[in-house]
Amino acid sequence: MTGHMTSAEFRKIGHELVDWVADYWDTIEERPVLSAIEPGGVSGLLPKSPPEKGDGLGSLVADLDGIILPGLTHWQHPSFFGYFPANTSGPSVLGDLVSAGLGVQGMLWTTSPACTELETVTIEWLAQLLDLPERFRANSTGGGVIEDSASSSTLIATLAALNRVSGGAWCRDGLGGPGGLDYVVYASTQAHSSVEKAARIAGLGSRGLRSIPVGAVDLAMDAERLSARIAEDKAAGRVPALVVATLGTTSTTAFDPLPEIGRICEENGIWLHVDAAYAGAAAICPEFRWMHEGIEYADSYCFNPHKLLLTGFDCSAFWVADRSSLIQALSVLPEYLRNAASESGSIIDYRDWQIPLGRRFRALKLWFVLRWYGAEGLRKHIRTTIGLAEQFENLVLADTRFECVTTRTLGLVCFRLRADNELNEELLHRVNSDGMAFLTHTVVAERLTLRLAIGSPFTESSHVSAVWCRLQKFATEVLSS
Amino acid sequence: MTGHMTSAEFRKIGHELVDWVADYWDTIEERPVLSAIEPGGVSGLLPKSPPEKGDGLGSLVADLDGIILPGLTHWQHPSFFGYFPANTSGPSVLGDLVSAGLGVQGMLWTTSPACTELETVTIEWLAQLLDLPERFRANSTGGGVIEDSASSSTLIATLAALNRVSGGAWCRDGLGGPGGLDYVVYASTQAHSSVEKAARIAGLGSRGLRSIPVGAVDLAMDAERLSARIAEDKAAGRVPALVVATLGTTSTTAFDPLPEIGRICEENGIWLHVDAAYAGAAAICPEFRWMHEGIEYADSYCFNPHKLLLTGFDCSAFWVADRSSLIQALSVLPEYLRNAASESGSIIDYRDWQIPLGRRFRALKLWFVLRWYGAEGLRKHIRTTIGLAEQFENLVLADTRFECVTTRTLGLVCFRLRADNELNEELLHRVNSDGMAFLTHTVVAERLTLRLAIGSPFTESSHVSAVWCRLQKFATEVLSS
């Protein structure tokens, strides 16, 4: 099989693998959620060197079953409750299949116009579903784009902010050297690690990041402390460049007070980036749109359809109110990419909206998902998911041995045994160790806290009941040990 | 269809779409390579708002055919000769299908061990095929990873270099402020635009980038000029951090003199990143491995299997000789990602090798490709591709109206009419305008130059002859006009 795969071979193996994926989903519940393998458990089963001759994928399905599947933590499993969900769906997978088959590059409008235009349209559809402000929308000064992740969205917001606050000098002069200014980025102590990573990548170092304290109960950024730190930095000759406000923190889904933060940013001319990576999807339901109060102050906004909106990773939706700040920050134009369409100014070249140059046709999977489910179907998934979390929360609240550590708002429940950290750690270890379910942890005010996040389309009420029964059983064991 | 897609529906539509992709490839030659649509030609055909109710993908295939395909530039078309190839293959598409279906996250080893371990193994297989130095290889101080693009690879090399040259102070202090040093990055005037973009993202600005002149004939970096600029910068108190040497420039596939550059980097303690994004794939054939002379000096190396190695975008292979510089530059560890496996130090967490946190299971497509073709099949594809370029070059050389602008080494031919730039531009316009083929251009020493790059697995000798016949015909027209 050293030659190219024929059309007939592609059809035959393609059908087999579509069925293999369907079989995987049909039987996923029979597998342990968390892989039990030890380091080297997969690599040790693979040849040390590549095959000299192709083998026609003959034993491929056997190897997928025998080598790969035992080494996976199954993120689509109905009892996967760890981290945040990264759910996918049939329509999304099929959109990705078509994207891979077309194999086009969307770096410039001209390199495949449909790749750019379908992205502009589907991202505008999302903006409508979320009821985002006009200035983020198509035909405004702003616009939207699909990034690979919220980390990248935070990074490009940081770069656009540095460009704007420096009046464009940042592109030319950078940050260093004798005349270098001290730019500062602000986020709460609960912000995602990608804020620190973005500040570091952008050359600000940890010295350029201010971690603003949060309220003891709501874990939301303390706006007064933010205001005070900004004043202090300005007095010391530093330049506040960016505030990242989080809607739905990773640790506990806390919500920063957007209206207060927004007013502070406006008064001080600071770029406000809103990181709603996880929570934003819920805003497609009017009853959860309270989270967007104050969003009119935002210069950029991000949420991940690949978390709760049934569109497989990678699909992070990013909007900017003034696209020129972003494009100016990221545009570099060599001769070999010059073309008439770009020079006309009438089109979008998304390469200037992201870190890499090349880009896949990611809008296809989003289009497939939006068409399959419709707004109605997506809202139903959000409500079902959050309803299941509410069910779990009620179970926790009814057992006096447990407590909820924070007030649940969406699909994440943060809870713990009313006991010391060691016992909670032991409880987590026991519930995860036989593969029936998978939860992760965080630490809130020095208390080890269990996180149960719901999101898989396969999760039903019975899975929630089942994990709770097991938690109760292990709690009894742990408390009596 | 507001509910989830059933297993039966997924199988049925999945089979249809596998066949749709196969049909697309079977008939791709009948389509114009370059889309002829005007701006808005796709978006204007789509609804302004998302559907309220799902439509079950009923009219999806019709819309793919009627709306999407006319808006594409067909990168897999046998007469796509533009930019560099971004080829894919049946095995790659099927690997991506399985990856999308599994929907796992490989950010940490523990979040899906097989995702990490298969990547380590397949990237080691590639290192063996390229005969890369030991220090890049598994079980050394270095290692390899799949990035989305060479742009991202250049960026992370820049960050690792800044971290190393500053002795780690860069993580803490960044670049700016009163004590900020002037770090400098060097690359030739012919280096990819991503070097300038990376320098800007990293906060160096254009001020921190030195574009080193190239030889007039070979377009390769002038090592003496590099050495002189480094000395000048050091004398001025600036800190040389990184040299990017290119093997196979985007404009003309020029090769920078790696041994000389390497010695200069070694003497000055400068990180050497080798960008072989396009050309590196050819090094799987011993007869093209001359390009790696001097590679023992490299601190990092990148090539893109998604260009010539039949693995669909995105798959950029990146190796580093001292992984600790890279990991220290990119690692940020919040509580919710802490886990026993990471703390044991015995595994790899690839999130610390890239800009985003999340990551897809990209190693699957590479595994499928390596298994299907074997080393033999991949070498055959490289040799066929380069042989076709040689065929085209010979045709150009036999027509005295034309000239080759540079000496061809791999699959790219740079040529022009022996006439002024306007006539060459007109020739390019005519050959591209009816959709029978697609070429791009560059400018070499102020001369507009046509670029014909070969790489599609569908390209055969007849396509090369056909585009040449058309170029000859249009040349006659243009020269007589």
Side-chain angles (χ1 to χ4, degrees), chain A residues 264-279:
Chain A
I264 294 167
C265 288
E266 189 178 52
E267 282 162 21
N268 290 279
I270 303 175
W271 186 290
L272 173 59
H273 176 60
V274 175
D275 176 4
Y278 166 73

Side-chain angles (χ1 to χ4, degrees), chain B residues 89-128:
Chain B
S89 65
S92 176
V93 171
L94 297 177
D96 254 348
L97 166 65
V98 172
S99 171
L102 294 173
V104 300
Q105 279 290 334
M107 57 203 192
L108 304 172
W109 178 87
T110 193
T111 59
S112 259
C115 184
T116 295
E117 296 199 6
L118 187 66
E119 185 159 332
T120 305
V121 168
T122 51
I123 213 90
E124 165 66 14
W125 288 4
L126 283 181
Q128 290 179 27

Side-chain angles (χ1 to χ4, degrees), chain B residues 145-357:
Chain B
V145 62
I146 300 176
E147 302 286 323
D148 60 2
S149 65
S151 297
S152 296
S153 295
T154 300
L155 175 57
I156 63 169
T158 305
L159 303 173
L162 288 168
N163 182 50
R164 189 179 77 175
V165 75
S166 69
W170 164 85
C171 282
R172 187 180 62 245
D173 298 335
L175 304 171
L181 293 170
D182 258 347
Y183 295 99
V184 188
V185 168
Y186 306 81
S188 93
T189 57
Q190 301 297 304
H192 191 262
S193 56
S194 57
V195 180
E196 184 177 343
K197 192 164 175 175
R200 195 189 290 172
I201 292 167
L204 302 175
S206 12
R207 197 173 55 88
L209 177 68
R210 301 281 174 272
S211 287
I212 306 299
V214 293
V217 175
D218 62 6
L219 300 172
M221 189 193 288
D222 182 332
E224 284 185 25
R225 298 286 289 271
L226 171 67
S227 188
R229 282 311 299 264
I230 290 171
E232 196 180 308
D233 283 323
K234 286 171 85 167
R238 291 183 283 261
V239 183
L242 171 72
V243 174
V244 179
T246 309
L247 301 184
T249 58
T250 308
S251 182
T252 64
T253 56
F255 288 80
D256 288 338
L258 209 48
E260 289 89 330
I261 294 172
R263 276 189 288 272
I264 294 166
C265 288
E266 189 179 52
E267 282 163 21
N268 290 278
I270 303 174
W271 187 289
L272 173 59
H273 176 61
V274 175
D275 176 6
Y278 166 74
I284 67 169
C285 302
E287 68 270 31
F288 298 115
R289 212 166 285 152
W290 48 261
M291 71 174 78
H292 281 170
E293 193 193 340
I295 199 175
E296 63 276 13
Y297 292 107
D299 293 290
S300 52
Y301 176 95
C302 164
F303 95 98
N304 291 349
H306 66 233
K307 284 196 164 69
L308 277 180
L309 224 52
L310 298 161
T311 311
F313 187 90
D314 46 359
C315 185
S316 176
F318 175 86
W319 287 270
V320 63
D322 172 19
R323 62 177 175 265
S324 65
S325 296
L326 178 69
I327 292 170
Q328 193 189 24
L330 291 173
S331 181
V332 177
L333 182 63
E335 181 63 33
Y336 48 80
L337 294 179
R338 293 182 80 107
N339 66 88
S342 297
E343 280 161 28
S344 76
S346 63
I347 50 84
I348 294 174
D349 289 328
Y350 276 129
R351 73 179 186 109
D352 296 329
W353 297 58
Q354 62 174 19
I355 302 301
L357 172 59

Side-chain angles (χ1 to χ4, degrees), chain A residues 297-315:
Chain A
Y297 293 107
D299 293 289
S300 52
Y301 175 94
C302 164
F303 95 99
N304 292 350
H306 66 234
K307 283 196 163 71
L308 276 180
L309 223 52
L310 299 162
T311 311
F313 186 91
D314 48 356
C315 186

Side-chain angles (χ1 to χ4, degrees), chain A residues 280-295:
Chain A
I284 67 169
C285 303
E287 68 271 30
F288 297 114
R289 213 166 284 152
W290 49 262
M291 72 173 77
H292 282 169
E293 194 194 341
I295 198 176

Side-chain angles (χ1 to χ4, degrees), chain A residues 135-454:
Chain A
R135 60 189 191 142
F136 287 141
R137 308 275 290 277
N139 301 320
S140 73
T141 55
V145 62
I146 300 175
E147 301 288 322
D148 59 3
S149 65
S151 297
S152 296
S153 295
T154 299
L155 176 57
I156 63 170
T158 306
L159 303 174
L162 288 169
N163 182 48
R164 189 178 78 175
V165 76
S166 69
W170 165 85
C171 281
R172 188 181 61 245
D173 299 333
L175 304 170
L181 293 171
D182 258 345
Y183 295 99
V184 188
V185 169
Y186 306 81
S188 93
T189 56
Q190 300 297 305
H192 191 261
S193 57
S194 58
V195 180
E196 183 178 345
K197 192 164 175 175
R200 194 189 292 172
I201 292 167
L204 302 174
S206 12
R207 197 174 54 89
L209 177 69
R210 301 282 173 274
S211 288
I212 307 298
V214 294
V217 176
D218 62 6
L219 300 173
M221 190 192 289
D222 181 332
E224 284 185 25
R225 298 287 288 270
L226 171 68
S227 188
R229 282 312 299 263
I230 290 171
E232 194 180 309
D233 282 324
K234 287 171 84 167
R238 292 183 283 262
V239 183
L242 171 73
V243 174
V244 179
T246 309
L247 301 184
T249 58
T250 307
S251 182
T252 64
T253 58
F255 289 80
D256 289 338
L258 210 47
E260 290 87 332
I261 294 171
R263 278 189 287 272
I264 294 167
C265 288
E266 189 178 52
E267 282 162 21
N268 290 279
I270 303 175
W271 186 290
L272 173 59
H273 176 60
V274 175
D275 176 4
Y278 166 73
I284 67 169
C285 303
E287 68 271 30
F288 297 114
R289 213 166 284 152
W290 49 262
M291 72 173 77
H292 282 169
E293 194 194 341
I295 198 176
E296 63 276 12
Y297 293 107
D299 293 289
S300 52
Y301 175 94
C302 164
F303 95 99
N304 292 350
H306 66 234
K307 283 196 163 71
L308 276 180
L309 223 52
L310 299 162
T311 311
F313 186 91
D314 48 356
C315 186
S316 176
F318 175 86
W319 286 270
V320 62
D322 172 17
R323 63 177 174 266
S324 66
S325 297
L326 178 68
I327 292 170
Q328 193 189 23
L330 292 174
S331 181
V332 177
L333 183 62
E335 180 63 34
Y336 49 78
L337 293 179
R338 293 181 81 106
N339 67 87
S342 296
E343 280 162 28
S344 76
S346 63
I347 50 84
I348 293 173
D349 289 328
Y350 276 128
R351 73 180 185 108
D352 297 329
W353 298 56
Q354 63 174 20
I355 302 301
L357 171 60
R359 62 201 323 267
R360 287 150 50 236
F361 198 167
R362 286 183 290 218
L364 277 173
K365 61 185 169 190
L366 187 55
W367 193 41
F368 279 39
V369 167
L370 289 164
R371 288 180 67 149
W372 177 269
Y373 287 98
E376 194 176 81
L378 294 173
R379 286 193 289 259
K380 185 176 162 196
H381 176 64
I382 295 288
R383 288 169 180 149
T384 301
T385 293
I386 296 175
L388 291 171
E390 192 179 356
Q391 175 194 338
F392 183 81
E393 180 190 36
N394 288 333
L395 293 167
V396 174
L397 292 172
D399 185 333
T400 55
R401 298 174 301 170
F402 285 88
E403 62 182 328
C404 282
V405 176
T406 57
T407 308
R408 184 199 57 77
T409 47
L410 303 175
L412 173 72
V413 183
C414 294
F415 67 102
R416 67 195 306 276
L417 271 178
R418 296 179 194 271
D420 63 22
N421 284 353
E422 287 65 30
L423 288 183
N424 276 285
E425 200 163 354
E426 180 60 24
L427 175 64
L428 180 66
H429 175 71
R430 291 198 187 191
V431 75
N432 282 345
S433 58
D434 68 0
M436 299 284 286
F438 177 55
L439 284 72
T440 53
H441 78 283
T442 189
V443 172
V444 177
E446 298 181 10
R447 293 181 304 168
L448 192 125
T449 298
L450 280 65
R451 297 170 73 266
L452 180 131
I454 294 178

Side-chain angles (χ1 to χ4, degrees), chain B residues 36 66 90 92 113 151 219 271 341 377 404 418 451 456 470:
Chain B
S92 176
S151 297
L219 300 172
W271 187 289
C404 282
R418 297 177 193 272
R451 296 170 73 266
S456 163
R470 289 160 44 70

